[in-house]
C-alpha cells in the first residue's frame, strides 16, 4: 500500500488483516507482463516502487519482458534474503564446505552469476569467478578447469554442452577432471539434455529455478522431479490459464508468484511469470529414508508448453521435441537447426557435429531418415568440424540453437 501504483489497483474493500484467507488474497489483481510493459521508466520507479526501505544496495536486470529491460532496485534486506535463497541450491545439489566452484554464469548486469559467486562463501565453497565465454574465452575456461580442479561447475545448460564439445575437440575428457556437481538455471533441461551433460561431465546435474522479479525460488532434490519451492520466502499459486481459479494438484496451470521477503522496493504482488507448471504438495516422502532437508516444501514442475517451434511446409516442429530427439543420439556432439527458404520452398537445415569414432556420413544419413520418420519432414544434414558450433555460440548468453532465416 506504499506504492502509488498499487493504491489505485487494490480494492477498497480488501481486509488487509485477513490476507491468509485465499478468497481475500485473490481480490488482489494479478500483475502481468502487459501491465508492466505499459509503465514508462519514470512511472516504474516513482509509482510502482516503494520509497521507504533500508536503502538501495544494487540493481538486478529484468529478463526483458517489458521490451527494454528494467533494472529492479534491491534493498539491503532483499540482498540478505536473496543470498540465502541462492545458497540453498548448493544444499540441494549436495555441494558443501570444501568444494571448489567454477562459475560460468554471466557476471555482468544480470544477477545470477555474481549472486551465486557471492553466496558460496556462506557454504564454505571456494569460487572461481570465470563468467561466461564473453568475459573468459571457453578455451581458457577449459584450461582453468584442468588447472584449478573444481568439484562444482555452474552455468547455463547450453554452455555446459558447448564446453563439453570444445573439450572433445581438444582431446580433453571432462568426465575425468573430478567435477561431481553441475548446477544449471535459466533454460529448460530436458531428460535427453540432462543425460548428455551428465555423460560428458561425469557429474550429477541439478537444475534450479528463479526469476529476477523474486529471486532464486527453488531447486531439484530429485533429478527431473521438479523444483522444491522455498514457500517461506515465496507465495506461489498455480491457476487455470482461462478462469484464473486455482488449478487442481497435478493439473497444468499458470504460475503466479509473490515474494514475501524480497519485495522491500519492488512490490511484485501476484506476478504472472508466464510459466506453465504443475504443483504438488509435500507428502509422506518427507518422512521417508530418502527425504532431504527441503522435502517439507512443495514442488512445481515445468510443462514446457511455451517452447518455440518451426512451421516448415505445414508441419509444426517443436524445438524441445527436436532437441530431445537429437541429443538421444550418442554420436551427436552438438547441432543447430535452421529454417531456410530456397527457390520459394521452405527447408529444415540441420548442422551436426559427430563424436570421434563415428562415421560422419553414416550418422548424417541415419539422422536424415529418422527425422523423416519421426517428424514427417526430410532435413538437409551437414556435418561440421567438432567445436565449430561452440565457437559460434560462445559470444551468446544463451545458445542460438534454433534459427529462422526466412526473413
Amino acid at each position: 500500500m506504499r506504492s502509488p501504483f498499487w493504491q489505485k489497483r487494490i480494492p477498497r474493500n480488501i481486509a488487509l488483516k485477513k490476507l491468509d484467507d485465499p478468497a481475500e488474497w485473490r481480490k488482489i489483481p494479478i500483475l502481468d507482463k502487459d501491465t508492466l510493459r505499459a509503465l514508462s521508466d519514470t512511472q516504474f520507479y516513482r509509482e510502482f516502487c516503494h520509497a521507504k526501505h533500508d536503502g538501495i544496495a544494487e540493481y538486478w536486470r529484468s529478463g526483458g519482458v517489458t521490451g527494454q529491460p528494467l533494472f529492479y532496485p534491491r534493498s539491503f534486506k532483499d540482498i540478505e534474503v536473496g543470498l540465502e535463497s541462492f545458497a540453498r541450491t548448493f544444499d540441494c545439489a549436495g555441494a558443501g564446505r570444501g568444494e571448489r566452484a567454477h562459475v560460468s554464469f554471466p557476471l555482468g548486469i544480470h544477477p545470477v552469476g555474481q549472486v551465486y559467486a557471492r553466496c558460496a562463501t556462506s557454504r564454505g565453497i571456494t569460487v572461481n569467478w570465470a563468467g561466461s565465454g564473453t568475459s573468459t574465452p571457453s578455451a581458457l575456461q577449459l584450461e582453468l578447469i584442468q588447472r584449478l580442479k573444481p568439484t562444482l561447475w555452474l552455468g547455463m545448460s547450453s554452455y555446459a554442452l558447448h564446453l563439453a564439445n570444445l573439450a572433445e575437440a581438444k582431446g580433453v575428457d571432462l568426465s575425468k577432471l573430478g567435477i561431481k556437481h553441475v548446477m544449471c538455471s535459466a533454460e529448460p533441461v530436458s531428460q535427453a539434455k540432462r543425460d548428455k551433460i551428465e555423460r560428458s561431465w561425469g557429474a550429477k546435474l541439478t537444475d534450479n529455478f528463479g526469476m529476477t522479479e523474486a529471486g532464486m525460488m527453488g531447486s531439484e532434490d530429485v533429478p527431473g522431479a521438479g523444483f522444491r519451492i522455498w514457500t517461506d520466502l515465496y507465495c506461489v499459486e498455480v491457476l487455470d490459464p482461462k478462469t484464473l481459479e486455482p488449478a487442481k494438484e497435478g493439473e497444468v496451470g499458470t504460475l503466479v508468484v509473490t515474494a514475501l521477503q524480497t519485495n522491500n522496493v519492488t512490490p511484485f504482488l501476484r506476478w504472472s511469470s508466464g510459466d506453465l507448471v504443475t504443483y504438488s504438495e509435500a507428502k509422506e516422502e518427507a518422512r521417508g529414508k530418502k527425504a532431504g532437508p527441503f522435502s517439507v516444501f512443495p514442488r512445481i514442475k515445468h510443462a514446457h508448453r511455451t517452447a518455440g517451434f518451426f512451421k516448415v511446409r505445414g508441419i509444426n516442429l517443436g524445438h524441445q521435441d527436436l532437441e530431445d530427439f537429437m541429443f538421444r543420439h550418442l554420436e551427436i556432439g552438438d547441432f543447430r537447426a535452421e529454417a531456410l527458404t530456397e527457390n520459394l520452398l521452405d527447408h529444415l537445415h540441420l548442422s551436426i557435429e559427430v563424436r570421434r569414432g563415428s562415421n560422419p556420413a553414416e550418422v548424417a544419413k541415419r539422422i536424415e531418415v529418422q527425422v523423416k520418420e519421426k517428424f514427417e519432414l526430410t532435413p538437409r544434414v551437414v556435418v561440421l568440424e567438432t567445436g565449430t558450433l561452440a565457437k559460434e555460440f560462445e559470444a551468446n548468453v544463451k545458445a542460438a540453437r534454433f534459427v529462422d532465416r526466412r526473413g
Side-chain angles (χ1 to χ4, degrees), residues 4 27 116 137 145 147 169 184 189 201 239 248 285 298 335 361:
K27 290 180 181 179
Y116 256 130
I145 290 172
R147 289 175 57 193
C184 297
V189 177
W201 288 77
L239 307 180
K248 294 179 180 179
E285 64 186 51
F335 80 96

Side-chain angles (χ1 to χ4, degrees), residues 85-262:
S85 71
F86 272 77
R88 288 181 182 182
T89 65
F90 288 118
D91 304 332
C92 281
R97 184 167 295 278
E99 303 273 10
R100 298 180 302 279
H102 182 104
V103 178
S104 292
F105 280 113
L107 291 175
I109 53 181
H110 197 282
V112 60
Q114 47 96 352
V115 177
Y116 256 130
R118 288 155 60 194
C119 74
T121 301
S122 69
R123 298 305 192 258
I125 297 173
T126 304
V127 176
N128 180 16
W129 297 54
S132 66
T134 55
S135 56
T136 304
S138 297
L140 179 55
Q141 299 227 17
L142 286 177
E143 180 184 331
L144 290 171
I145 290 172
Q146 291 174 278
R147 289 175 57 193
L148 302 181
K149 296 180 171 46
T151 57
L152 175 65
W153 182 87
L154 294 87
M156 294 191 184
S157 56
S158 57
Y159 195 52
L161 292 172
H162 301 160
L163 284 179
N165 294 326
L166 185 61
E168 183 181 6
K170 292 179 173 293
V172 176
D173 188 347
L174 276 182
S175 67
K176 304 297 185 184
L177 298 184
I179 292 176
K180 298 184 295 182
H181 311 281
V182 168
M183 294 175 63
C184 297
S185 189
E187 293 177 329
V189 177
S190 65
Q191 188 60 48
K193 183 186 283 188
R194 183 188 301 273
D195 292 343
K196 179 171 175 55
I197 290 173
E198 291 187 340
R199 283 195 309 269
S200 300
W201 288 77
K204 171 192 169 187
L205 188 152
T206 299
D207 198 16
N208 305 287
F209 173 64
M211 60 185 71
T212 322
E213 290 76 18
M216 185 57 70
M217 294 177 54
S219 180
E220 294 180 325
D221 58 349
V222 175
F227 305 104
R228 295 286 188 186
I229 298 297
W230 325 139
T231 46
D232 58 332
L233 304 179
Y234 308 100
C235 172
V236 296
E237 304 168 71
V238 179
L239 307 180
D240 182 283
K242 294 182 179 178
T243 67
L244 296 182
E245 291 296 313
K248 294 179 180 179
E249 186 171 348
E251 290 184 349
V252 175
T254 186
L255 179 64
V256 173
V257 177
T258 301
L260 302 177
Q261 298 190 48
T262 53

